Amino acid sequence: MVQKIAIIGAGVVGLSCAVKISEFFQNENIDVCLISEKFTPNTTGDGSAGLWGPYLIGDTAADNINKWSKESHEFFHDLWKNGKAAEVGISLINETLLTQKPEVANPCWSQVVFGFTPLSYKQLDLLSKEHSVRYTAGANYVTFTCEPTYLLPYLMRRFKSAGGKVLEKRVNSFDDLLDQYDIIINCTGLGAKTLVNDPKLTPIRGQVARVEASWIFQSTQNDNNYIIPNMETVILGGTAQVNDYNENISDDDSKFIRSGCSDLNPSTVNSTLRKEWAGLRPGRDTVRIEAETFHTGNGKGRTVIHNYGHGGSGVTTAWGCASDVLELVKESVSLKCKL
Ligand SMILES: Cc1cc2nc3c(=O)[nH]c(=O)nc-3n(C[C@H](O)[C@H](O)[C@H](O)COP(=O)(O)OP(=O)(O)OC[C@H]3O[C@@H](n4cnc5c(N)ncnc54)[C@H](O)[C@@H]3O)c2cc1C
């Protein structure tokens, strides 16, 4: 008998699951359908710089952060090495992290990136003077950006070539799908707040500016602002406003971003503004990856697997999280085969 799987949400989290699941079950009697209200270029990730780096991910366990983000880092590295960088939007970049909070410069993921090296007091002193901020810790390392405006179409191509189907639709309740699908995977990001009534989900608003600054290849961030080069533009950021649903551009935030980034790198003053954008990160105390059983009208059990709440780390963790989801799907499929 054919089993049917629905994945709700075509952001970076849902599409990563869609690819892993459709490719794993490609030659089995399993249909996979991706159902979403919005698609690229209108998902949250599309506005992001796609910098690899666990950020605003609540109290998610360090072991999980490391496992998921390491797998994503390796995924980007493999694609980059194998000639896919231009197609998938992957760049290898140097990152300088500066902070007044020593724990920020001693992250659990320091061994995942390349060449993580704490900054010396002399370097901190020099940068503190340059930026007029008293830094107490910092590090240099090399990592990737993976730009979702390239990554998402790439994942969609892989999903379709593995036989995946796509449906553009808003899902108001799992009840709409329980009769048609054996397994439902909930990757709705902040949409889960209403879909599953999760009070722990909260928006963390982020505003950024995309500028033309072709001379910047170095990413720099401190506790307030960041500068991240992408392939065509440079992203100047940014805000992290908890429980703020405003998706309009705030003039005060625009000024904060331009002035903070010019302290980090005065040359940004000469950059031309291409676009400003504000998006809502799906913030949660921890990322939720968990299976639940729901019942149809005639009492049949259906598995719903949740995968949402990635905060400011969706691009960083999505590929790794999709592996955990695939394991839960495999368990559910083998249970159903035994029945
Ligand atoms: C300013 C900013 C900068 C960022 N920078 C980075 C960065 O550099 N690196 C990084 O790792 N992360 C970054 N992030 C975070 C990252 O963008 C998010 O973690 C990520 O996009 C979350 O992905 P998602 O797929 O869970 O959610 P979304 O991208 O929001 O996708 C959710 C999907 O579900 C669909 N959906 C929702 N509800 C329903 C429903 N009821 N029915 C049908 N479909 C539904 C939506 O239409 C959408 O397709 C940034 C975020 C912001 C705002």
Side-chain angles (χ1 to χ4, degrees):
M1 202 183 79
V2 176
Q3 288 203 37
K4 296 182 81 179
I5 301 177
I7 297 156
I8 319 174
V12 66
V13 170
L15 257 168
S16 298
C17 289
V19 169
K20 281 217 167 140
I21 293 166
S22 60
E23 290 183 352
F24 185 83
F25 291 111
Q26 194 164 359
N27 299 314
E28 316 273 337
N29 270 342
I30 292 185
D31 284 352
V32 186
C33 184
L34 178 66
I35 304 173
S36 192
E37 185 179 17
K38 292 183 187 163
F39 292 84
T40 185
N42 299 313
T43 73
T44 312
D46 286 290
S48 83
L51 176 68
W52 185 98
Y55 175 59
L56 299 173
I57 193 165
D59 297 324
T60 300
D63 283 355
N64 281 335
I65 294 177
N66 273 333
K67 181 173 64 154
W68 298 330
S69 65
K70 184 170 189 285
E71 195 182 330
S72 301
H73 206 268
E74 288 167 356
F75 175 58
F76 300 156
H77 193 188
D78 283 345
L79 290 164
W80 184 86
K81 272 191 303 200
N82 290 309
K84 295 276 187 187
E87 182 187 351
V88 193
I90 301 175
S91 308
L92 187 66
I93 60 159
N94 190 70
E95 166 77 23
T96 300
L97 173 66
L98 295 157
T99 181
Q100 295 179 303
K101 304 170 198 155
E103 68 280 7
V104 171
N106 184 23
C108 62
W109 44 262
S110 61
Q111 298 308 307
V112 176
V113 293
F114 304 121
F116 187 94
T117 310
L119 295 181
S120 66
Y121 288 118
K122 202 172 160 192
Q123 287 168 309
L124 285 172
D125 207 38
L126 187 72
L127 290 164
S128 296
K129 282 187 189 122
E130 270 186 25
H131 300 171
S132 308
V133 179
R134 186 64 252 160
Y135 298 125
T136 54
N140 264 329
Y141 54 91
V142 171
T143 187
F144 296 100
T145 48
C146 181
E147 298 175 40
T149 49
Y150 293 81
L151 172 69
L152 293 172
Y154 165 77
L155 292 176
M156 184 62 95
R157 286 192 290 280
R158 268 179 70 164
F159 175 58
K160 286 184 175 168
S161 70
K165 304 278 181 311
V166 178
L167 189 61
E168 186 175 339
K169 172 184 149 122
R170 180 180 166 78
V171 177
N172 292 314
S173 157
F174 294 137
D175 293 343
D176 302 348
L177 305 178
L178 291 174
D179 283 333
Q180 300 165 56
Y181 295 95
D182 302 281
I183 300 172
I184 297 166
I185 301 164
N186 172 20
C187 304
T188 51
L190 194 59
K193 185 154 186 74
T194 43
L195 188 60
V196 295
N197 228 345
D198 184 342
K200 291 181 178 168
L201 254 180
T202 185
I204 307 178
R205 178 182 181 275
Q207 182 170 320
V208 291
R210 276 185 185 266
V211 298
E212 289 171 23
S214 56
W215 56 90
I216 295 178
F217 293 95
Q218 155 80 32
S219 176
T220 312
Q221 58 177 295
N222 67 15
D223 296 322
N224 297 319
N225 294 94
Y226 55 82
I227 299 173
I228 305 170
N230 270 179
M231 293 195 301
E232 287 159 24
T233 51
V234 173
I235 287 78
L236 309 182
T239 65
Q241 294 135 323
V242 178
N243 212 17
D244 185 340
Y245 282 89
N246 179 18
E247 291 182 81
N248 297 318
I249 298 305
S250 140
D251 289 343
D252 286 347
D253 290 344
S254 302
K255 284 181 199 137
F256 162 78
I257 289 168
R258 290 307 286 231
S259 121
C261 288
S262 95
D263 290 345
L264 278 182
N265 180 341
S267 80
T268 57
V269 172
N270 295 328
S271 62
T272 307
L273 179 66
R274 177 90 72 91
K275 187 182 172 186
E276 288 179 287
W277 176 76
L280 308 180
R281 303 173 182 94
R284 199 171 183 276
D285 60 342
T286 59
V287 174
R288 184 179 186 200
I289 300 184
E290 186 182 11
E292 256 192 294
T293 303
F294 280 62
H295 290 93
T296 63
N298 56 17
K300 283 191 184 149
R302 298 287 193 240
T303 305
V304 173
I305 300 169
H306 302 285
N307 181 18
Y308 63 81
H310 300 74
S313 307
V315 184
T316 307
T317 55
W319 192 251
C321 290
S323 289
D324 281 17
V325 170
L326 177 60
E327 289 310 309
L328 292 171
V329 172
K330 284 193 228 167
E331 273 173 36
S332 178
V333 166
S334 65
L335 272 179
K336 286 195 167 68
C337 291
K338 281 182 197 146
L339 290 176

mmCIF file of all heavy atoms in Angstrom, residues 2-3 5 7 18-19 21-34 155-167:
data_model
loop_
_atom_site.group_PDB
_atom_site.id
_atom_site.type_symbol
_atom_site.label_atom_id
_atom_site.label_comp_id
_atom_site.label_asym_id
_atom_site.label_seq_id
_atom_site.Cartn_x
_atom_site.Cartn_y
_atom_site.Cartn_z
ATOM 1 N N VAL A 2 0.452 2.267 -0.771
ATOM 2 C CA VAL A 2 1.235 3.516 -0.834
ATOM 3 C C VAL A 2 1.015 4.317 0.454
ATOM 4 O O VAL A 2 -0.115 4.472 0.905
ATOM 5 C CB VAL A 2 0.786 4.368 -2.041
ATOM 6 C CG1 VAL A 2 1.524 5.706 -2.051
ATOM 7 C CG2 VAL A 2 0.997 3.622 -3.336
ATOM 8 N N GLN A 3 2.115 4.756 1.052
ATOM 9 C CA GLN A 3 1.975 5.651 2.216
ATOM 10 C C GLN A 3 2.173 7.078 1.749
ATOM 11 O O GLN A 3 2.979 7.334 0.844
ATOM 12 C CB GLN A 3 3.009 5.291 3.264
ATOM 13 C CG GLN A 3 2.697 3.986 3.947
ATOM 14 C CD GLN A 3 3.353 3.889 5.314
ATOM 15 O OE1 GLN A 3 3.445 4.865 6.046
ATOM 16 N NE2 GLN A 3 3.812 2.710 5.638
ATOM 17 N N ILE A 5 3.037 11.101 2.683
ATOM 18 C CA ILE A 5 3.661 12.018 3.657
ATOM 19 C C ILE A 5 3.431 13.447 3.193
ATOM 20 O O ILE A 5 3.673 13.770 2.022
ATOM 21 C CB ILE A 5 5.189 11.754 3.758
ATOM 22 C CG1 ILE A 5 5.457 10.313 4.196
ATOM 23 C CG2 ILE A 5 5.850 12.755 4.708
ATOM 24 C CD1 ILE A 5 6.941 9.938 4.251
ATOM 25 N N ILE A 7 4.537 17.425 3.981
ATOM 26 C CA ILE A 7 5.417 18.341 4.719
ATOM 27 C C ILE A 7 4.792 19.711 4.582
ATOM 28 O O ILE A 7 4.549 20.177 3.455
ATOM 29 C CB ILE A 7 6.840 18.332 4.125
ATOM 30 C CG1 ILE A 7 7.443 16.938 4.288
ATOM 31 C CG2 ILE A 7 7.729 19.387 4.795
ATOM 32 C CD1 ILE A 7 8.531 16.625 3.309
ATOM 33 N N ALA A 18 12.041 17.924 3.045
ATOM 34 C CA ALA A 18 11.431 17.409 1.808
ATOM 35 C C ALA A 18 12.475 16.675 0.972
ATOM 36 O O ALA A 18 12.216 15.591 0.436
ATOM 37 C CB ALA A 18 10.806 18.562 1.020
ATOM 38 N N VAL A 19 13.676 17.256 0.868
ATOM 39 C CA VAL A 19 14.736 16.623 0.065
ATOM 40 C C VAL A 19 15.184 15.314 0.711
ATOM 41 O O VAL A 19 15.238 14.267 0.066
ATOM 42 C CB VAL A 19 15.937 17.586 -0.111
ATOM 43 C CG1 VAL A 19 17.135 16.871 -0.709
ATOM 44 C CG2 VAL A 19 15.532 18.767 -0.977
ATOM 45 N N ILE A 21 13.724 13.324 2.854
ATOM 46 C CA ILE A 21 12.700 12.269 2.910
ATOM 47 C C ILE A 21 12.419 11.731 1.503
ATOM 48 O O ILE A 21 12.375 10.523 1.283
ATOM 49 C CB ILE A 21 11.430 12.814 3.590
ATOM 50 C CG1 ILE A 21 11.729 13.102 5.062
ATOM 51 C CG2 ILE A 21 10.265 11.835 3.452
ATOM 52 C CD1 ILE A 21 10.688 13.939 5.766
ATOM 53 N N SER A 22 12.264 12.631 0.524
ATOM 54 C CA SER A 22 11.920 12.153 -0.832
ATOM 55 C C SER A 22 13.076 11.350 -1.417
ATOM 56 O O SER A 22 12.865 10.340 -2.088
ATOM 57 C CB SER A 22 11.552 13.321 -1.748
ATOM 58 O OG SER A 22 12.637 14.211 -1.841
ATOM 59 N N GLU A 23 14.315 11.755 -1.157
ATOM 60 C CA GLU A 23 15.455 11.014 -1.714
ATOM 61 C C GLU A 23 15.602 9.657 -1.019
ATOM 62 O O GLU A 23 15.901 8.649 -1.656
ATOM 63 C CB GLU A 23 16.742 11.843 -1.617
ATOM 64 C CG GLU A 23 16.704 13.034 -2.579
ATOM 65 C CD GLU A 23 17.978 13.883 -2.598
ATOM 66 O OE1 GLU A 23 18.871 13.652 -1.756
ATOM 67 O OE2 GLU A 23 18.053 14.789 -3.462
ATOM 68 N N PHE A 24 15.355 9.621 0.289
ATOM 69 C CA PHE A 24 15.497 8.344 1.016
ATOM 70 C C PHE A 24 14.459 7.327 0.552
ATOM 71 O O PHE A 24 14.748 6.144 0.402
ATOM 72 C CB PHE A 24 15.370 8.569 2.534
ATOM 73 C CG PHE A 24 15.621 7.326 3.320
ATOM 74 C CD1 PHE A 24 16.919 6.933 3.637
ATOM 75 C CD2 PHE A 24 14.567 6.495 3.700
ATOM 76 C CE1 PHE A 24 17.157 5.755 4.330
ATOM 77 C CE2 PHE A 24 14.797 5.317 4.393
ATOM 78 C CZ PHE A 24 16.097 4.951 4.709
ATOM 79 N N PHE A 25 13.213 7.774 0.331
ATOM 80 C CA PHE A 25 12.126 6.844 -0.017
ATOM 81 C C PHE A 25 11.833 6.814 -1.524
ATOM 82 O O PHE A 25 10.775 6.362 -1.935
ATOM 83 C CB PHE A 25 10.844 7.234 0.741
ATOM 84 C CG PHE A 25 10.928 7.007 2.227
ATOM 85 C CD1 PHE A 25 10.971 8.085 3.108
ATOM 86 C CD2 PHE A 25 10.962 5.729 2.761
ATOM 87 C CE1 PHE A 25 11.045 7.888 4.488
ATOM 88 C CE2 PHE A 25 11.037 5.518 4.138
ATOM 89 C CZ PHE A 25 11.081 6.599 5.006
ATOM 90 N N GLN A 26 12.805 7.282 -2.326
ATOM 91 C CA GLN A 26 12.548 7.480 -3.763
ATOM 92 C C GLN A 26 12.001 6.232 -4.458
ATOM 93 O O GLN A 26 11.113 6.324 -5.291
ATOM 94 C CB GLN A 26 13.839 7.923 -4.461
ATOM 95 C CG GLN A 26 13.585 8.459 -5.844
ATOM 96 C CD GLN A 26 14.771 9.252 -6.372
ATOM 97 O OE1 GLN A 26 15.777 9.404 -5.693
ATOM 98 N NE2 GLN A 26 14.661 9.746 -7.580
ATOM 99 N N ASN A 27 12.527 5.062 -4.117
ATOM 100 C CA ASN A 27 12.091 3.869 -4.842
ATOM 101 C C ASN A 27 11.120 3.007 -4.034
ATOM 102 O O ASN A 27 10.962 1.828 -4.283
ATOM 103 C CB ASN A 27 13.314 3.048 -5.282
ATOM 104 C CG ASN A 27 14.192 3.880 -6.208
ATOM 105 O OD1 ASN A 27 13.683 4.522 -7.119
ATOM 106 N ND2 ASN A 27 15.485 3.915 -5.929
ATOM 107 N N GLU A 28 10.501 3.617 -3.048
ATOM 108 C CA GLU A 28 9.545 2.878 -2.211
ATOM 109 C C GLU A 28 8.135 3.344 -2.588
ATOM 110 O O GLU A 28 7.963 4.308 -3.315
ATOM 111 C CB GLU A 28 9.771 3.212 -0.726
ATOM 112 C CG GLU A 28 11.198 3.228 -0.281
ATOM 113 C CD GLU A 28 11.708 1.866 0.145
ATOM 114 O OE1 GLU A 28 10.881 1.024 0.513
ATOM 115 O OE2 GLU A 28 12.930 1.654 0.069
ATOM 116 N N ASN A 29 7.163 2.685 -2.005
ATOM 117 C CA ASN A 29 5.767 3.071 -2.246
ATOM 118 C C ASN A 29 5.358 4.212 -1.322
ATOM 119 O O ASN A 29 4.461 4.073 -0.495
ATOM 120 C CB ASN A 29 4.853 1.859 -1.984
ATOM 121 C CG ASN A 29 4.667 1.060 -3.252
ATOM 122 O OD1 ASN A 29 4.920 1.572 -4.349
ATOM 123 N ND2 ASN A 29 4.253 -0.179 -3.117
ATOM 124 N N ILE A 30 6.081 5.319 -1.448
ATOM 125 C CA ILE A 30 5.804 6.439 -0.552
ATOM 126 C C ILE A 30 5.721 7.729 -1.367
ATOM 127 O O ILE A 30 6.643 8.041 -2.132
ATOM 128 C CB ILE A 30 6.902 6.524 0.542
ATOM 129 C CG1 ILE A 30 6.755 5.297 1.448
ATOM 130 C CG2 ILE A 30 6.824 7.829 1.325
ATOM 131 C CD1 ILE A 30 7.628 5.230 2.636
ATOM 132 N N ASP A 31 4.616 8.447 -1.234
ATOM 133 C CA ASP A 31 4.448 9.735 -1.919
ATOM 134 C C ASP A 31 4.760 10.859 -0.941
ATOM 135 O O ASP A 31 4.298 10.828 0.205
ATOM 136 C CB ASP A 31 2.986 9.922 -2.365
ATOM 137 C CG ASP A 31 2.672 9.086 -3.592
ATOM 138 O OD1 ASP A 31 3.616 8.511 -4.166
ATOM 139 O OD2 ASP A 31 1.480 8.999 -3.934
ATOM 140 N N VAL A 32 5.505 11.854 -1.409
ATOM 141 C CA VAL A 32 5.820 12.987 -0.535
ATOM 142 C C VAL A 32 5.297 14.270 -1.178
ATOM 143 O O VAL A 32 5.588 14.543 -2.354
ATOM 144 C CB VAL A 32 7.351 13.111 -0.300
ATOM 145 C CG1 VAL A 32 7.639 14.195 0.734
ATOM 146 C CG2 VAL A 32 7.945 11.787 0.148
ATOM 147 N N CYS A 33 4.518 15.025 -0.418
ATOM 148 C CA CYS A 33 3.953 16.274 -0.947
ATOM 149 C C CYS A 33 4.340 17.444 -0.027
ATOM 150 O O CYS A 33 4.209 17.344 1.197
ATOM 151 C CB CYS A 33 2.436 16.147 -1.021
ATOM 152 S SG CYS A 33 1.661 17.596 -1.758
ATOM 153 N N LEU A 34 4.838 18.511 -0.622
ATOM 154 C CA LEU A 34 5.205 19.713 0.132
ATOM 155 C C LEU A 34 4.054 20.720 -0.013
ATOM 156 O O LEU A 34 3.734 21.141 -1.132
ATOM 157 C CB LEU A 34 6.503 20.297 -0.444
ATOM 158 C CG LEU A 34 7.035 21.588 0.169
ATOM 159 C CD1 LEU A 34 7.477 21.369 1.614
ATOM 160 C CD2 LEU A 34 8.223 22.112 -0.643
ATOM 161 N N LEU A 155 17.160 23.245 -3.554
ATOM 162 C CA LEU A 155 16.508 22.149 -2.824
ATOM 163 C C LEU A 155 15.209 21.750 -3.516
ATOM 164 O O LEU A 155 14.876 20.560 -3.598
ATOM 165 C CB LEU A 155 16.234 22.565 -1.364
ATOM 166 C CG LEU A 155 17.470 22.768 -0.479
ATOM 167 C CD1 LEU A 155 17.055 23.279 0.901
ATOM 168 C CD2 LEU A 155 18.289 21.479 -0.324
ATOM 169 N N MET A 156 14.494 22.744 -4.046
ATOM 170 C CA MET A 156 13.230 22.437 -4.741
ATOM 171 C C MET A 156 13.494 21.568 -5.976
ATOM 172 O O MET A 156 12.754 20.623 -6.249
ATOM 173 C CB MET A 156 12.520 23.747 -5.118
ATOM 174 C CG MET A 156 11.165 23.557 -5.748
ATOM 175 S SD MET A 156 9.990 22.737 -4.642
ATOM 176 C CE MET A 156 9.158 24.147 -3.924
ATOM 177 N N ARG A 157 14.567 21.886 -6.713
ATOM 178 C CA ARG A 157 14.898 21.075 -7.896
ATOM 179 C C ARG A 157 15.195 19.625 -7.474
ATOM 180 O O ARG A 157 14.749 18.674 -8.109
ATOM 181 C CB ARG A 157 16.117 21.658 -8.646
ATOM 182 C CG ARG A 157 15.798 22.937 -9.423
ATOM 183 C CD ARG A 157 16.924 23.309 -10.374
ATOM 184 N NE ARG A 157 18.143 23.766 -9.732
ATOM 185 C CZ ARG A 157 18.348 25.008 -9.255
ATOM 186 N NH1 ARG A 157 17.411 25.920 -9.354
ATOM 187 N NH2 ARG A 157 19.498 25.330 -8.701
ATOM 188 N N ARG A 158 15.957 19.472 -6.366
ATOM 189 C CA ARG A 158 16.287 18.117 -5.898
ATOM 190 C C ARG A 158 15.024 17.374 -5.462
ATOM 191 O O ARG A 158 14.857 16.191 -5.746
ATOM 192 C CB ARG A 158 17.269 18.197 -4.711
ATOM 193 C CG ARG A 158 18.710 18.139 -5.186
ATOM 194 C CD ARG A 158 19.707 18.243 -4.065
ATOM 195 N NE ARG A 158 19.759 17.087 -3.186
ATOM 196 C CZ ARG A 158 20.775 16.861 -2.340
ATOM 197 N NH1 ARG A 158 21.796 17.695 -2.288
ATOM 198 N NH2 ARG A 158 20.754 15.820 -1.537
ATOM 199 N N PHE A 159 14.139 18.098 -4.777
ATOM 200 C CA PHE A 159 12.899 17.480 -4.284
ATOM 201 C C PHE A 159 12.050 16.981 -5.461
ATOM 202 O O PHE A 159 11.581 15.844 -5.470
ATOM 203 C CB PHE A 159 12.128 18.510 -3.446
ATOM 204 C CG PHE A 159 10.778 18.053 -2.981
ATOM 205 C CD1 PHE A 159 10.637 16.909 -2.195
ATOM 206 C CD2 PHE A 159 9.624 18.764 -3.319
ATOM 207 C CE1 PHE A 159 9.375 16.486 -1.760
ATOM 208 C CE2 PHE A 159 8.370 18.348 -2.890
ATOM 209 C CZ PHE A 159 8.251 17.208 -2.112
ATOM 210 N N LYS A 160 11.901 17.836 -6.475
ATOM 211 C CA LYS A 160 11.055 17.447 -7.616
ATOM 212 C C LYS A 160 11.694 16.303 -8.395
ATOM 213 O O LYS A 160 10.994 15.412 -8.870
ATOM 214 C CB LYS A 160 10.799 18.650 -8.531
ATOM 215 C CG LYS A 160 9.792 19.633 -7.917
ATOM 216 C CD LYS A 160 9.481 20.750 -8.877
ATOM 217 C CE LYS A 160 8.404 21.660 -8.316
ATOM 218 N NZ LYS A 160 8.272 22.905 -9.085
ATOM 219 N N SER A 161 13.024 16.344 -8.512
ATOM 220 C CA SER A 161 13.626 15.254 -9.301
ATOM 221 C C SER A 161 13.596 13.927 -8.530
ATOM 222 O O SER A 161 13.732 12.867 -9.133
ATOM 223 C CB SER A 161 15.020 15.611 -9.820
ATOM 224 O OG SER A 161 15.895 15.645 -8.764
ATOM 225 N N ALA A 162 13.348 13.976 -7.222
ATOM 226 C CA ALA A 162 13.151 12.722 -6.465
ATOM 227 C C ALA A 162 11.671 12.324 -6.455
ATOM 228 O O ALA A 162 11.270 11.419 -5.713
ATOM 229 C CB ALA A 162 13.662 12.891 -5.041
ATOM 230 N N GLY A 163 10.869 13.022 -7.236
ATOM 231 C CA GLY A 163 9.451 12.641 -7.364
ATOM 232 C C GLY A 163 8.509 13.409 -6.454
ATOM 233 O O GLY A 163 7.312 13.094 -6.396
ATOM 234 N N GLY A 164 9.025 14.399 -5.713
ATOM 235 C CA GLY A 164 8.178 15.157 -4.780
ATOM 236 C C GLY A 164 7.124 16.001 -5.489
ATOM 237 O O GLY A 164 7.357 16.502 -6.590
ATOM 238 N N LYS A 165 5.972 16.131 -4.844
ATOM 239 C CA LYS A 165 4.876 16.954 -5.383
ATOM 240 C C LYS A 165 4.745 18.226 -4.531
ATOM 241 O O LYS A 165 5.114 18.229 -3.355
ATOM 242 C CB LYS A 165 3.544 16.192 -5.302
ATOM 243 C CG LYS A 165 3.547 14.840 -5.998
ATOM 244 C CD LYS A 165 3.321 15.013 -7.481
ATOM 245 C CE LYS A 165 3.282 13.715 -8.256
ATOM 246 N NZ LYS A 165 4.363 12.761 -8.027
ATOM 247 N N VAL A 166 4.188 19.270 -5.146
ATOM 248 C CA VAL A 166 4.089 20.567 -4.450
ATOM 249 C C VAL A 166 2.653 21.074 -4.532
ATOM 250 O O VAL A 166 2.019 21.002 -5.581
ATOM 251 C CB VAL A 166 5.043 21.596 -5.106
ATOM 252 C CG1 VAL A 166 4.913 22.961 -4.441
ATOM 253 C CG2 VAL A 166 6.491 21.114 -5.025
ATOM 254 N N LEU A 167 2.162 21.598 -3.421
ATOM 255 C CA LEU A 167 0.808 22.152 -3.380
ATOM 256 C C LEU A 167 0.863 23.507 -2.677
ATOM 257 O O LEU A 167 1.382 23.600 -1.558
ATOM 258 C CB LEU A 167 -0.070 21.180 -2.585
ATOM 259 C CG LEU A 167 -1.558 21.377 -2.538
ATOM 260 C CD1 LEU A 167 -2.155 21.289 -3.945
ATOM 261 C CD2 LEU A 167 -2.177 20.272 -1.651
#
